[in-house]
Amino acid sequence: MEAEHVEILNFLRKYSPFNELPEEELQIAARNTSVAYFKAGTQILEFNQHIDALHVVRSGSIETYHKDGSLFNRLDEGGFFGEAGLLRKGRVRFPVKTIEDTLLYYIPGDLFNRFYDEYDAFADAVEVEEQRRVSHAVKEHESRNRTLSARVETLITREPIAINKSASIREAACLMTDEKVSSLLIYDDEKRDIPAGIITDKDLRKRVLAVDKDASDPVADIMSENLVFVQHNNRVFEAFLTMLRTNLHHLPVLRQSKVTGVIALSDVARHESQSSLYIVSSIFKQTSIEELSQLVPDVHKSFVRMVEEDANSRIIGSAMATIGRSFKQRLLELAEEKYGPPPVPYCFLALGSMARDEQTVVTDQDNAMVLDDSFDPKLHDEYFLNIAQFVSDGLNACGYTYCTGDIMATNPNWRQPLSKWKKYFTDWIENPSPEKLLHSSIFFDLDGVSGEMRFAKELNQLIRKKAPKHKRFLGSMARNALNRTPPLGFFKDFVMEKDGKHRDSINTKRRGTGPVADLIRVHALAIGAQRQNSFARLEEIIDANILPKGRGPDLRDALELISMVRIRHQALALEAGDTPDNNVAPEDLSDFERKHLKDAFQILSNAQKYLRYKYSGG
């Protein structure tokens, strides 16, 4: 071995991941390594540039960047870069620039890929380092985009300003002026802990000036009741989604059941990093189905932008579900403008992924209606059918296709009074069978979208109360949750779809995210979990200690990985001008994704085996 190769060999021996290789492989690497020198400030790699070698810093230092130009990481002697590109179709993911004079070693890409495939210790070291860098990058990203990490309490700058409900409107307006606030909490002397209501500048304009109301009247006459609160330790992003979902601009903040302040949309806007989510405000400005349908390209751009900005699946799922709910809410408003106010109270329900805050851009519509028990079919059903049809047609025009299983409020079975819905759930839970629950499992993920939200709350309370007590029901739900298995063969190779236009691909929803959500739902029902989102349910399941140690976090990571493979596939399709779907061809996966997707599917398979064992008595 020549002298320069001996020097390279001795250098590689000192650093991970090369010190994980056998000596003979290290010698091969040293003999095939080339050297390059770059002056400070030189751009070494550009985004999406072809890359065919692993770059190792011999001396000097470099910086890697995100696509948007923000800093990703700094590396000096012994650091390596370019592995992400080599493992993902040979394209640079993170541009690189020297920050001082730098000497680099180039290890050929085919050698790197062989080491990665043949030596697990080498591959693990590469992945650990990459994960450490990604973790570091996420923290840096969150420090710049505080919406992703900041807590609501950080937005509070002063004590809440309040007044008694018996005070006059004039007194309230004067207090708001003196204190320079845009909202005022209203309290009742008998209940001093939680405010009875709130008024805002908008209320003074619409409910006083616009209607020439007497300013000496009590402020209670114009306050908004049934307040929506946000917890002090919620993320700012979650508060923003709540505002979009409820179309509210002010939220009182609770800490240990006490209001500590009020945050306004303007406060959140200063921290809001996903500005594309403001599409929700556009939805409520549209005056027809045709105008709403024209927003679909903007929804797609919003989705792609979040993917490009490295938002996780929980944020993307919540954002897309909020957009979907907003379409439903606006369509219901337009429907009531056309057909008049409802003859009896009702609640429009979201079901499935929208109720769980887990939507993507590929989704059908699953919805239902809960009607007040004063509902009389002869007098009222034509009205509610018209409303349901209007909303369903509108959703289809806006990209939420008709449900092939007819789980829509246009189906009279799913447009029933509250008492009938309670009978449905009682029968499903107390007299279960896998066949009966096959098409009704989706109803165990329900959330109110508009109207009498207490109807949805009552149904969820009934489910939480009854489900944990009925083992046969849990057994039947578990059996149905096992109908969809992960796409792994005997030798852990991917099992492809065998027919149709998606032949030789993997359906990441039907064989991935769907089965994960199904089995999490069963565990959640067994413990009477309060929350709907699969990640949030997992938190409750882990706290309940009903899974073997470590299985909960593993399942959470598996769900995140499968979800992001699915989401990125859809985003790439949109960017290419293609119709997005859930079917991913293995050849479109990077080596990194392929390896970890198999691991995630194996976690799902193990979780299904445990589900079968735990609920087999049912």
Side-chain angles (χ1 to χ4, degrees), residues 329-340:
Q329 290 164 351
R330 185 55 183 150
L331 286 166
L332 285 164
E333 291 173 352
L334 294 175
E336 290 185 15
E337 287 177 13
K338 180 176 181 179
Y339 295 105

Side-chain angles (χ1 to χ4, degrees), residues 22 83 116 121 194 252 257 261 327 364 378 435 466-467 495 531:
E83 77 284 359
Y116 186 88
I194 298 297
S257 300
F327 274 115
D364 59 3
K378 293 181 181 178
E435 295 76 20
K466 285 184 173 291
V495 175
R531 294 184 283 180

Side-chain angles (χ1 to χ4, degrees), residues 252-265:
V253 180
L254 286 180
R255 185 185 182 98
Q256 296 179 345
S257 300
K258 181 182 178 181
V259 176
T260 59
V262 177
I263 60 170
L265 181 60

Side-chain angles (χ1 to χ4, degrees), residues 80-101:
F80 61 88
F81 59 93
E83 77 284 359
L86 293 173
L87 293 171
R88 294 170 175 83
K89 302 181 183 179
R91 294 291 173 182
V92 172
R93 290 190 63 205
F94 303 105
V96 181
K97 188 176 183 179
T98 59
I99 53 179
E100 57 184 76
D101 291 355

Side-chain angles (χ1 to χ4, degrees), residues 347 349 351 367-373 407-409 411-429 440 442-444 446 455-456 458-459 462-463:
C347 179
L349 298 180
L351 306 170
N367 52 67
M369 267 189 187
V370 185
L371 310 172
D372 189 81
D373 284 337
I407 309 294
M408 297 179 290
N411 183 333
N413 291 326
W414 315 131
R415 192 176 65 252
Q416 293 291 335
L418 178 61
S419 57
K420 184 66 176 287
W421 276 105
K422 289 182 177 180
K423 289 179 181 177
Y424 280 163
F425 282 104
T426 299
D427 181 56
W428 288 333
I429 295 172
S440 56
I442 192 171
F443 291 99
F444 290 91
L446 70 88
F455 292 170
E458 286 187 38
L459 292 178
L462 182 149
I463 294 167

Side-chain angles (χ1 to χ4, degrees), residues 112-138:
F112 168 79
N113 285 318
R114 183 171 70 77
F115 294 159
Y116 186 88
D117 290 337
E118 294 182 10
Y119 299 101
D120 289 343
F122 180 88
D124 290 343
V126 170
E127 289 165 14
V128 166
E129 177 62 18
E130 184 171 68
Q131 289 166 4
R132 185 188 68 78
R133 291 181 196 171
V134 171
S135 176
H136 171 75
V138 167

